[in-house]
Amino acid sequence: GKCLTGVYLKRTGVEPDEPFDSSTLRVFNIGKQAEAWMIQHLKNNKDVKIEEQVRVEDKELNVSGYIDAVLKKEDFVMPIEIKTQHSRSFWWMTKQGHPNNMHQYQLWLYLHLLPAEVGKLVYLSKDDNAIQEYFVRRDDIELENTVLGELEVLNFALEHNMAPPPITDPKDNRYKLCRWHKSCLKP
């Protein structure tokens, strides 16, 4: 779900255009605190077991990651990804009725790697403590095609030492959020 050129450059060891500034690092810190709070809340339910920061990996797909939390009860397993947003973004997303695509792709991949049938995206609004939950299913063919298709493009690029084409539309969030665009878009 990210800019594949940026992912390629990161994987090949290219430094980002600029390091994270102190404001961005504080935002990440607040997100980690909110995640810890949510996981502690989940752990209060003694009927389920919660594992934190569960590493998943697939060498064939050349991908790995850490799931924020995995809920287990008997034979049922559910990965949970916790995201924080400022209230304006949170309420816009809620009005749209669906979560961020990039987050859905991330959670679908975790479902595929565990494997598990269903996962939950939990969004916390940093400004007003509102919570919104969305479910992602492993049998969602559209998500499967998108995620596996992007991994195929990325792995082909890595194998052939050739970056995928960069995103050039400044309105695309992948363009806005890529930390390598100043370098890769130079003429």
Side-chain angles (χ1 to χ4, degrees):
K2 292 183 178 181
C3 170
L4 292 181
T5 305
V7 175
Y8 171 87
L9 293 171
K10 180 179 181 180
R11 288 244 193 128
T12 57
V14 175
E15 292 293 321
D17 299 330
E18 298 172 11
F20 287 122
D21 61 20
S22 61
S23 174
T24 301
L25 293 174
R26 287 191 303 272
V27 168
F28 291 160
N29 187 16
I30 292 294
K32 287 291 183 191
Q33 290 176 38
E35 178 183 314
W37 172 82
M38 177 56 71
I39 289 173
Q40 185 56 50
H41 177 71
L42 292 170
K43 285 183 173 182
N44 288 338
N45 182 345
K46 301 299 181 196
D47 293 334
V48 298
K49 181 180 177 192
I50 302 293
E51 293 182 30
E52 299 176 58
Q53 294 300 309
V54 176
R55 181 166 165 69
V56 288
E57 178 179 26
D58 186 314
K59 292 192 185 299
E60 188 175 311
L61 291 175
N62 191 21
V63 68
S64 66
Y66 287 90
I67 305 169
D68 291 338
V70 176
L71 179 147
K72 294 182 176 182
K73 184 175 182 178
E74 297 168 11
D75 291 339
F76 182 75
V77 175
M78 179 189 295
I80 301 171
E81 272 302 299
I82 302 165
K83 305 297 183 186
T84 56
Q85 294 181 321
H86 61 77
S87 59
R88 198 169 103 191
S89 176
F90 177 91
W91 292 111
W92 181 86
M93 175 194 67
T94 301
K95 183 178 177 181
Q96 299 304 309
H98 60 84
N100 177 302
N101 287 340
M102 188 169 27
H103 300 155
Q104 291 182 81
Y105 301 158
Q106 178 186 13
L107 184 53
W108 184 90
L109 182 60
Y110 292 161
L111 290 167
H112 180 72
L113 297 177
L114 266 178
E117 296 307 314
V118 65
K120 187 187 294 188
L121 283 169
V122 178
Y123 287 91
L124 303 171
S125 174
K126 292 184 276 193
D127 307 324
D128 56 16
N129 289 328
I131 298 173
Q132 182 65 268
E133 299 176 336
Y134 298 94
F135 290 95
V136 173
R137 298 195 50 84
R138 188 171 69 166
D139 63 3
D140 185 320
I141 299 302
E142 187 175 327
L143 287 175
E144 178 180 1
N145 290 338
T146 300
V147 173
L148 294 179
E150 285 194 359
L151 284 172
E152 186 177 321
V153 168
L154 179 60
N155 286 325
F156 180 88
L158 289 165
E159 184 180 323
H160 292 89
N161 201 28
M162 180 178 62
I167 295 167
T168 57
D169 180 1
K171 294 177 187 171
D172 188 318
N173 271 343
R174 296 170 301 172
Y175 176 97
K176 293 176 193 175
L177 298 174
C178 183
R179 296 177 58 219
W180 284 264
H181 264 50
K182 287 180 185 175
S183 298
C184 76
L185 293 179
K186 286 182 181 174

